[in-house]
Amino acid sequence: MPESTPLPAFLLLEPQYRDYVWGGQRLRPGEDFTAEAWVVYEHDHVKSGPCQGQTLAELASLYGPQLVGQSVFQKTGERFPLLIKLLDCAEWLSIQVHPNDEQAVEMEGPGYFGKTEAWHTLDADPGSRIIAGVQPGVKPDALQQAIRDGTIEGLAQYIPLQRGDTVFMRPGTLHALGPGLLIYEVQQTSDLTYRVYDWGRPASEKRKLHIEQSLAVTRHNAQAELTPLPELQDGKEQVLCTSAYFSLSMLSAEKRTVPLDTQAATFHALTVIDGKVRLLAGTESLELARFDTVLVPASTGSYQLQPLGSFRALKSSV
């Protein structure tokens, strides 16, 4: 596709699937166990249209600011700036921690990013919990000893989650997702994870513990920020969380069309979490169902989301 060819208004993405020991069967019912769907990832391919078969990384290299926006391009260059996943948690994930940008470069080398992330709870079985930080009053020495001894679960801060809750997680915060959760996760374009504790699972090459790295980046007073789902209004966008790296909002409608505009400043990543919706921009249109994900390039400008019955979708942007 030549560089002079305008980008289409909508890029429907083909997710990549990952399975780990904790995965369930809600992301691909009737298929194999699936832990994660990487619905926005720089190596995801475009599923249809004039860019079919190309990856986000290729399009970012080819189109740069037209795809991601000028200010975003100045920050991250040709690297696509976000990684978005859906996670189906049938068992506890490892207790882990992520570095910030400076620590990532210092510990892993040039080209690595830290990992600031947010979770939105798509579904939660009764009693579902996460770990986010450690209990109040835990001293740094006690925390470090527990990380070394493999007893960190006794000092962890357990927080119940309900459907609709959003959790914002800064680097340096110990955390883990628990059984029964279906999660939307948006993060910097980084999968840099330091595993602290893995619930007694056998150690393997793919599930190493990273004790020294964890000690270097864990902050004893780091806590998550939990926000319950606000009251939804027909045809309105409602912000769930914002940070220097991304913003996350909920779009919902039953009867009213939702107008949006990239203003040529940034892209929009839309994932439908309930119902169906039709996207409209000029003469272009695209219908989406549950878990479908589309990238709206910065060059698209104004567009609309037309409910087909009713829908809810999550929008991430930078």
Side-chain angles (χ1 to χ4, degrees):
M1 185 174 183
E3 185 177 358
S4 59
T5 303
L7 278 166
F10 309 119
L11 298 169
L12 181 64
L13 299 179
E14 182 73 45
Q16 295 191 23
Y17 296 101
R18 304 281 195 277
D19 188 32
Y20 306 113
V21 295
W22 46 265
Q25 291 186 293
R26 287 181 287 186
L27 293 176
R28 293 192 292 174
E31 301 285 340
D32 292 336
F33 285 86
T34 304
E36 298 180 347
W38 292 28
V39 296
V40 178
Y41 172 45
E42 57 188 345
H43 298 301
D44 280 351
H45 291 85
V46 178
K47 194 173 182 179
S48 60
C51 296
Q52 183 175 2
Q54 291 184 280
T55 66
L56 277 184
E58 291 169 342
L59 293 175
S61 176
L62 191 60
Y63 288 95
Q66 296 178 55
L67 181 71
V68 300
Q70 184 62 48
S71 62
V72 178
F73 185 73
Q74 289 174 347
K75 292 179 183 177
T76 59
E78 294 181 357
R79 289 291 303 277
F80 191 80
L82 294 183
L83 172 60
I84 301 175
K85 306 177 185 179
L86 305 178
L87 297 88
D88 182 9
C89 312
E91 299 180 18
W92 275 105
L93 278 67
S94 62
I95 300 177
Q96 55 192 240
V97 66
H98 308 299
N100 61 30
D101 287 342
E102 293 76 17
Q103 291 167 334
V105 172
E106 179 182 344
M107 299 173 72
E108 304 294 337
Y112 281 87
F113 295 113
K115 186 171 173 181
T116 299
E117 62 186 329
W119 301 330
H120 180 78
T121 312
L122 303 179
D123 201 4
D125 291 346
S128 294
R129 300 183 297 168
I130 62 170
I131 287 172
V134 295
Q135 299 166 20
V138 173
K139 303 298 184 184
D141 288 350
L143 173 59
Q144 292 192 5
Q145 191 62 48
I147 290 175
R148 291 190 184 279
D149 293 347
T151 57
I152 190 62
E153 62 178 304
L155 300 183
Q157 178 91 302
Y158 293 83
I159 300 174
L161 275 198
Q162 297 181 347
R163 185 174 186 261
D165 287 344
T166 298
V167 181
F168 179 68
M169 197 79 63
R170 291 183 174 85
T173 308
L174 285 173
H175 61 276
L177 290 163
L181 292 169
L182 186 64
I183 296 291
Y184 170 101
E185 178 183 83
V186 55
Q187 61 195 63
Q188 293 174 258
T189 187
S190 169
D191 204 39
L192 190 52
T193 295
Y194 297 143
R195 191 174 291 111
V196 179
Y197 177 73
D198 205 20
W199 307 98
R201 296 181 180 115
S204 68
E205 184 65 25
K206 292 184 178 180
R207 297 194 67 82
K208 291 181 178 179
L209 297 181
H210 308 95
I211 301 303
E212 295 306 318
Q213 296 96 320
S214 299
L215 290 168
V217 305
T218 300
R219 296 183 294 120
H220 77 282
N221 57 352
Q223 300 288 330
E225 298 176 15
L226 189 151
T227 304
L229 183 67
E231 184 177 351
L232 300 180
Q233 301 179 43
D234 189 16
K236 298 293 185 180
E237 176 179 0
Q238 293 173 277
V239 175
L240 302 177
C241 74
T242 60
S243 74
Y245 297 100
F246 55 78
S247 64
L248 174 64
S249 59
M250 175 74 76
L251 308 167
S252 62
E254 293 184 2
K255 298 178 180 178
R256 297 183 178 181
T257 296
V258 183
L260 293 174
D261 195 336
T262 65
Q263 299 181 338
T266 186
F267 62 90
H268 294 169
L270 305 177
T271 299
V272 176
I273 60 173
D274 280 311
K276 295 182 179 180
V277 63
R278 179 182 292 116
L279 277 62
L280 302 167
T283 60
E284 296 186 55
S285 67
L286 180 67
E287 291 188 9
L288 303 177
R290 191 175 191 231
F291 295 159
D292 285 342
T293 297
V294 66
L295 191 84
V296 183
S299 59
T300 296
S302 62
Y303 65 102
Q304 297 179 324
L305 281 71
Q306 184 181 82
L308 300 175
S310 64
F311 82 93
R312 291 192 304 150
L314 292 169
K315 187 194 87 173
S316 289
S317 59
V318 175

